[in-house]
């Protein structure tokens, strides 16, 4: 499953250590392991997830440092409520970093306000749904052929003709005057 872009295994009560299995997940964009009971150091293979932009590790029991994440293109990282120690790498100080409840944060590491991963995911999903709806309506409109309306209008003879036909009706009792019908096609 090397083409995975999004992994969310949050809120599953998974426990134990993460194996070093992320080396081939170079397309991974979002990783959410939050609200489990995972422990141990972060796997070194995290450093090879070259597209990893959003990572949520909150509410686990991870230990050690987060140095393995230093060179990732992260824009959001939540490591709250774990047992990490050590300094936060300088590269990670400029991103949306959630560190509350983590032991040993580096001085100067702040908790910037932001959407959080839930807000970001909701925005991505909302934009995807809106985009799909717009594409659907565009495709439907393009596939629709111009509709042809066929209407059946009665056409009655003009007044001068009516007089002549009325005279002929009066002279012949077997002749009946029926309205003429005109077929109109409108685009």
């Amino acid at each position: 499953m090397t083409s995975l872009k999004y992994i969310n295994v949050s809120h599953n009560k998974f426990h134990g250590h993460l194996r070093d299995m992320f080396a081939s997940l170079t397309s991974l964009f979002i990783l959410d392991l939050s609200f489990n009971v995972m422990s141990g150091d972060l796997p070194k293979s995290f450093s090879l997830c070259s597209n990893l932009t959003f990572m949520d590790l909150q509410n686990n029991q991870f230990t050690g440092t987060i140095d393995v994440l230093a060179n990732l293109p992260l824009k959001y990282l939540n490591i709250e409520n774990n047992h990490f120690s050590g300094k936060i790498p300088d590269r990670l100080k400029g991103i949306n970093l959630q560190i509350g409840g983590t032991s040993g944060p580096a001085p100067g590491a702040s908790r910037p306000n932001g959407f959080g991963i839930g807000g970001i995911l909701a925005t991505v999903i909302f934009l995807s749904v809106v985009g799909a709806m717009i594409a659907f309506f565009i495709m439907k409109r393009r596939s629709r052929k111009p509709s042809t309306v066929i209407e059946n209008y009665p056409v009655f003879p003009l007044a001068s003709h009516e007089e002549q036909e009325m005279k002929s009706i009066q002279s012949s009792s077997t002749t009946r005057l029926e309205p003429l019908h005109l077929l109109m096609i409108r685009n």
Side-chain angles (χ1 to χ4, degrees):
M1 297 194 295
T2 58
S3 62
L4 279 175
K5 294 181 186 213
Y6 175 67
I7 297 175
N8 182 347
V9 293
S10 64
H11 297 88
N12 280 296
K13 298 181 184 174
F14 288 137
H15 63 281
H17 297 277
L18 275 179
R19 292 188 351 214
D20 212 9
M21 60 185 174
F22 294 89
S24 61
L25 299 179
T26 56
S27 297
L28 191 62
F29 177 70
I30 296 174
L31 178 62
D32 189 347
L33 304 174
S34 62
F35 297 94
N36 283 294
V37 196
M38 295 180 189
S39 59
D41 293 348
L42 297 180
K44 293 187 185 328
S45 58
F46 271 169
S47 66
L48 300 173
C49 296
S50 56
N51 286 307
L52 193 57
T53 308
F54 303 98
M55 182 180 242
D56 194 342
L57 303 174
Q58 72 175 311
N59 292 310
N60 277 289
Q61 296 176 8
F62 289 119
T63 56
T65 69
I66 58 170
D67 292 342
V68 71
L69 308 177
N71 293 318
L72 296 178
L74 291 169
K75 295 190 186 323
Y76 176 86
L77 174 62
N78 190 334
I79 56 171
E80 292 182 309
N81 299 317
N82 279 286
H83 304 290
F84 291 117
S85 59
K87 292 185 177 185
I88 295 176
D90 288 337
R91 159 69 183 83
L92 297 178
K93 290 179 185 176
I95 67 170
N96 187 351
L97 179 62
Q98 308 295 315
I99 58 171
T102 297
S103 59
S110 62
R111 246 185 109 152
N113 291 329
F115 274 125
I117 198 161
I120 293 167
L121 291 176
T123 302
V124 169
I125 291 169
F126 172 76
L127 292 175
S128 298
V129 169
V130 169
M133 288 173 54
I134 290 170
F136 172 77
F137 287 116
I138 289 172
M139 298 279 289
K140 186 166 177 85
R141 187 169 190 186
R142 284 185 182 169
S143 68
R144 184 187 297 165
K145 295 180 182 175
S147 63
T148 303
V149 177
I150 300 175
E151 296 181 15
N152 202 3
Y153 291 101
V155 176
F156 296 98
L158 298 173
S160 61
H161 293 283
E162 282 183 61
E163 291 174 15
Q164 291 175 357
E165 288 181 12
M166 290 301 280
K167 289 178 186 174
S168 68
I169 290 173
Q170 291 171 353
S171 63
S172 168
S173 62
T174 59
T175 307
R176 288 182 64 196
L177 179 61
E178 294 285 335
L180 298 175
H181 292 278
L182 175 65
L183 183 64
M184 294 185 70
I185 299 175
R186 226 186 316 163
N187 284 335

